[in-house]
Amino acid sequence: MSEPENLFCLHFLGGSARSWALLARALDGVLTCLPVDLPGFGEAAGESGFSVDAMADHVAAAIRARAPAAFAIAGHSMGAKVALALARRAEDGDPGLRGLTHLILISGSPPSPEPIPEERRTKMRAWIDADPETRQREALDFIRANVGSDLDAGTEAGAVADVLRASPAAWKAWLESGAREDWCRRVSVLRTPALILAGSEDGDLGPDAQQALMAPHLARHRRVTVDGVGHILPLERPDLLAGLVREHVAGHEEAAIDGPPAVPPAYAALIASERVNSRLREALDARAEPDDPAYRPQALDPVELAILRAALARVLPVSGLDLAARIDRRLAAGQGDGWRFSALPADPEAYRAGLRTLDAAARAARHRPFVALDPDNQDALLTLCQTGALTVPEALGGRLDADRMRFWFEDLRGDAARLWLGHPAALARIGFSGIGAGGDRPDAIATDLPGFHAVGLDAPEPWEPRPSHGELAR
């Protein structure tokens, strides 16, 4: 992938193109920063079009006007949601955006509705239309509440001035609508390499929110938590941000992805032999195919898929096998096991409800999303599921009661075990020889089929595989 020459920068709520001046200076000679004022902010304060789609249109026009061969997008907070919408367009083939190479997402507003406490949302809506003295005071408080340590006087004054020149209509539109827009399924999973940054002191869009709501949408990403920083990293630590951006776009080697579970050569030879009929061979070969690391879920959304992956990592960890993606494919295709608990809805709905209830339980009990909990706390919640003791009030996000969570978790374990035990690597480990019962000769007499002939106890035939020793799942 080529390195970008230009970095289009999309600011946070209340910011402007000027919010990127310090980063532009720090990146001078490495990348050309091209900050864009979003409609209603900065020099574009008089422009309209405040939905995520409309803002993406505005930025896409700016990119097309420049027509860069290769470019990156940095999105900060509100701007990150717009950046994700643009990346989806680019990956879907928008000719004006085909040069996108990298994403930098800073304290990003995720594709899901933004987790802003309603009380704060109401307060922010109220003061933007207040008298000048109140607006000045509240704008200053807004900036100071969003940093981990004091800004220098000039930087702070510029940030406050940007807030005050923002269009009240645009400000309120983001709080009332834009931040609530649900792009989870539309963005789905992106392949564009992404750097996800969060300040350790950012309350709403900090490390946990980025892990739970942003990372599931990015197949190739690196997450970095910046200690001591709040929500406004480009103003708080521009030099550090510049270093992270330089490293990201330089295309440093990505972490290796585990390959699929290996099928031992002897078992692969059995699968390829005349003892296995062609339909079964095709099915086994398909099961052995590596999973797509950028798999786009169909029945679940990306956030739910991430919760499922985290749960399966505790229930049945199999290195290199994406059981969650395989369950999602089955749910979408309606290929279940043919039955369900009568207390549960249809399988896709039951999975969505169970996963969201599990996550709500984590937030209620530990004030963190399930994917951000340590293994011991994840295990504790899953044990409550298993014993029928997990209760989450509907007001806190619970969708299934304790009994139905027990049933759903039993289904999940069964689905995971069936998928793994159907994989050729698992069949080889247990020495399963049933696949060699016959080939593709329906007109042959029984004695001509390459099946089983010695049927006594403890008398395997010479061609039968032997089970390997060790754990079934690793």
Side-chain angles (χ1 to χ4, degrees):
M1 179 175 288
S2 59
E3 289 189 31
E5 298 176 357
N6 300 294
L7 178 65
F8 290 88
C9 302
L10 315 180
H11 57 78
F12 69 108
L13 175 66
S16 77
R18 298 191 311 191
S19 305
W20 301 98
L22 297 175
L23 176 65
R25 193 176 308 143
L27 285 173
D28 186 37
V30 179
L31 277 172
T32 300
C33 281
L34 300 170
V36 179
D37 282 314
L38 297 174
F41 300 92
E43 297 299 321
E47 298 186 29
S48 60
F50 308 138
S51 69
V52 174
D53 252 334
M55 288 191 283
D57 288 342
H58 177 87
V59 177
I63 294 172
R64 291 189 186 98
R66 187 85 181 194
F71 65 94
I73 300 178
H76 180 197
S77 191
M78 174 178 74
K81 194 162 190 167
V82 179
L84 291 167
L86 290 163
R88 178 75 277 150
R89 294 185 188 187
E91 292 194 13
D92 286 347
D94 187 316
L97 302 174
R98 61 170 48 133
L100 177 63
T101 62
H102 297 79
L103 288 169
I104 298 97
L105 305 167
I106 306 160
S107 300
S109 179
S112 305
E114 191 174 309
I116 305 174
E118 203 56 43
E119 182 180 350
R120 187 179 312 146
R121 193 193 306 265
T122 300
K123 184 176 185 291
M124 289 171 65
R125 281 197 306 257
W127 65 255
I128 198 68
D129 282 325
D131 60 89
E133 182 179 349
T134 299
R135 292 181 78 242
Q136 176 71 34
R137 183 182 67 251
E138 293 290 349
L140 178 59
D141 287 347
F142 172 74
I143 294 300
R144 289 181 174 176
N146 278 288
V147 296
S149 58
D150 293 343
L151 299 175
D152 67 77
T155 301
E156 181 179 83
V160 171
D162 273 343
V163 173
L164 293 173
R165 68 176 176 157
S167 158
W171 177 274
K172 289 185 289 187
W174 176 255
L175 293 170
E176 294 168 358
S177 179
R180 298 181 192 269
E181 288 187 32
D182 192 345
W183 280 67
C184 198
R185 290 184 179 275
R186 289 178 67 182
V187 169
S188 191
V189 177
L190 298 165
R191 297 178 183 273
T192 306
L195 175 63
I196 303 173
L197 301 169
S200 64
E201 308 308 305
D202 190 339
D204 296 331
L205 293 172
D208 282 357
Q210 299 306 314
Q211 182 178 357
L213 300 177
M214 182 68 79
H217 294 276
L218 300 156
R220 303 167 63 193
H221 73 268
R222 176 187 173 210
R223 285 188 297 112
V224 176
T225 298
V226 184
D227 289 334
V229 168
H231 186 66
I232 318 181
L233 177 60
L235 299 182
E236 297 179 73
R237 299 288 302 278
D239 290 333
L240 182 146
L241 175 57
L244 291 168
V245 170
R246 283 195 297 268
E247 183 179 310
H248 178 56
V249 301
H252 284 205
E253 199 170 306
E254 297 181 31
I257 298 173
D258 289 335
V263 180
Y267 205 81
L270 172 60
I271 293 172
S273 75
E274 65 171 1
R275 292 183 176 278
V276 179
N277 72 63
S278 57
R279 286 182 60 192
L280 178 55
R281 184 181 303 114
E282 288 175 8
L284 292 171
D285 287 345
R287 293 174 197 172
E289 284 292 315
D291 294 304
D292 182 358
Y295 172 75
R296 296 175 64 177
Q298 304 164 60
L300 306 176
D301 67 33
V303 171
E304 292 159 351
L305 186 68
I307 301 168
L308 180 56
R309 283 177 173 144
L312 288 169
R314 306 307 307 154
V315 171
L316 184 57
V318 183
S319 179
L321 190 64
D322 191 351
L323 289 173
R326 294 179 180 225
I327 287 175
D328 178 80
R329 276 198 300 272
R330 282 197 170 190
L331 293 173
Q335 297 174 341
D337 54 14
W339 76 283
R340 64 179 174 86
F341 289 103
S342 61
L344 291 176
D347 287 348
E349 184 182 345
Y351 261 90
R352 289 190 291 266
L355 293 165
R356 291 293 183 174
T357 301
L358 181 61
D359 192 54
R363 294 174 187 273
R366 296 290 182 264
H367 309 290
R368 303 186 72 186
F370 183 80
V371 298
L373 293 180
D374 61 74
D376 287 344
N377 277 304
Q378 289 180 337
D379 287 349
L381 288 172
L382 293 173
T383 299
L384 292 176
C385 286
Q386 181 180 1
T387 58
L390 186 74
T391 302
V392 186
E394 188 175 344
L396 297 178
R399 301 187 187 180
L400 298 180
D401 61 21
D403 270 344
R404 290 188 294 169
M405 282 299 288
R406 176 167 59 90
F407 296 146
W408 167 75
F409 190 50
E410 183 175 326
D411 271 349
L412 180 149
R413 302 195 312 274
D415 289 344
R418 276 188 292 274
L419 281 169
W420 170 223
L421 285 172
H423 193 283
L427 296 175
R429 287 192 182 188
I430 64 175
F432 182 73
S433 58
I435 64 171
D440 293 312
R441 298 169 59 191
D443 57 339
I445 61 174
T447 54
D448 291 333
L449 291 174
F452 295 88
H453 299 286
V455 292
L457 292 175
D458 299 322
E461 300 195 36
W463 61 267
E464 289 189 74
R466 301 295 187 268
S468 60
H469 298 286
E471 297 178 359
L472 189 60
R474 293 177 183 172

